[in-house]
Amino acid sequence: MRLHLPAFVALLLAGCAPDFELQSEIRRVRVLAIQAEPAELVVDPDAATLPGPMTFNALAVTPDARPVTVRYALCRFTGNPYDGRCPGDTGVALPDGELSLQDPDVQAVLLEALQAGGGGGGVLDPEDPALRAALARGIPLFVGYEATDGSGTPEGTERGVRRVTLRATATPNQNPVMADVLWDGAPLTGPLPVASEVTLTPVLAEGSVETYETPEGPQVEQVFFSWFATGEGEVKEFRSQEPVEGRPGDPTSLYETPAAPGRVTFWVVARDGRGGVGWLSRTVDVGP
């Protein structure tokens, strides 16, 4: 029997097409965001003491709320931080998710970063003009992470890299703070109607949108939002419309609720475009 080619291709695709995971869906271990506190490491080359540690906190989630463990490492500049080996043999472990400038191994990585930028000798000298210039520009650091539920399966592990900045500044960046998520102008508490399209609106705490200095003059942060949900519903806008050229953008997201009653957890992540991150979650019922 001869099968018409288009029909054969259609059957092949129907039988073999993968079940693609949308960015907004939670089907496995996912790291939706990593917050650094403070949002950037700020140093004063003339100070007698180093700043306190930077602490990392991961928004690591699963569809069934099982626990996830996350480990971190400061990636060395002698390798590629994105090659999947950090944490591992190309990184300095960060116990308890803390990056401390007091750690000699961390200082060695900072020296590598400075040398990669074209300056620095064999030690970190506060009087070194190259070090001061690099701190004024901001030194990028790369922190690798591995999140796992302990199952040893590909779906139970996620690895990635978070970039942070070390710099000298009088006005360090702050993390945005999520205050609430609204539905129809009221706090999102549910129950939501089944098989319906609803509009979700994020609310930032006062002061979360900062003004900062650039070589072109003062700029206002353009905070954008990413949306995630469990269950069988569909997030229509994974990422909110960003403000552009003075236009305010649209922070809302449309969500198509499931056709059957159930419980859904939402996460909304706010990013300020300068390394600042904040988030909020809400668990609500859909139906009856």
Side-chain angles (χ1 to χ4, degrees):
M1 180 183 71
R2 297 183 64 183
L3 186 63
H4 187 53
L5 183 58
F8 172 73
V9 172
L11 288 171
L12 182 64
L13 292 176
C16 301
D19 188 10
F20 288 110
E21 177 185 17
L22 299 176
Q23 286 182 294
S24 59
E25 291 182 315
I26 308 299
R27 299 189 186 180
R28 54 181 173 82
V29 169
R30 293 282 305 279
V31 177
L32 308 184
I34 292 182
Q35 184 186 71
E37 184 58 52
E40 57 183 353
L41 270 175
V42 175
V43 297
D44 180 355
D46 298 317
T49 59
L50 292 170
M54 171 180 276
T55 302
F56 296 96
N57 179 30
L59 179 56
V61 304
T62 63
D64 54 2
R66 61 186 180 274
V68 177
T69 301
V70 184
R71 65 187 180 107
Y72 305 89
L74 179 61
C75 304
R76 295 188 180 278
F77 277 72
T78 51
N80 176 4
Y82 296 101
D83 65 5
R85 295 191 297 142
C86 177
D89 56 4
T90 63
V92 173
L94 302 178
D96 300 320
E98 285 192 354
L99 193 166
S100 172
L101 297 183
Q102 305 279 358
D103 187 334
D105 292 331
V106 170
Q107 293 179 11
V109 175
L110 296 182
L111 184 59
E112 292 174 2
L114 181 60
Q115 292 171 335
V123 296
L124 290 173
D125 180 4
E127 302 300 323
D128 182 2
L131 174 60
R132 288 177 172 265
L135 288 173
R137 294 190 303 269
I139 300 175
L141 302 176
F142 301 90
V143 175
Y145 64 86
E146 181 185 64
T148 178
D149 64 1
S151 66
T153 64
E155 296 78 14
T157 302
E158 179 174 303
R159 294 171 66 90
V161 175
R162 170 74 153 87
R163 175 174 167 161
V164 296
T165 303
L166 172 70
R167 69 180 182 128
T169 178
T171 55
N173 186 28
Q174 307 294 320
N175 286 309
V177 176
M178 287 293 309
D180 209 346
V181 178
L182 306 182
W183 167 49
D184 284 347
L188 177 63
T189 57
L192 299 175
V194 298
S196 301
E197 191 173 79
V198 298
T199 300
L200 305 178
T201 304
V203 179
L204 288 171
E206 185 176 354
S208 288
V209 179
E210 300 176 279
T211 299
Y212 61 101
E213 293 296 328
T214 73
E216 292 75 33
Q219 299 288 331
V220 178
E221 287 179 337
Q222 297 184 346
V223 178
F224 62 94
F225 303 87
S226 301
W227 297 85
F228 308 85
T230 59
E232 299 303 317
E234 182 181 353
V235 175
K236 298 293 187 177
E237 285 89 18
F238 159 69
R239 179 164 163 168
S240 68
Q241 179 182 342
E242 295 183 52
V244 177
E245 297 178 353
R247 297 192 297 271
D250 184 0
T252 64
S253 179
L254 295 177
Y255 175 72
E256 183 74 25
T257 64
R263 181 160 290 182
V264 177
T265 297
F266 296 97
W267 292 272
V268 56
V269 178
R271 293 182 171 86
D272 63 14
R274 301 196 296 141
V277 178
W279 60 74
L280 192 68
S281 69
R282 289 286 185 267
T283 298
V284 301
D285 290 323
V286 175

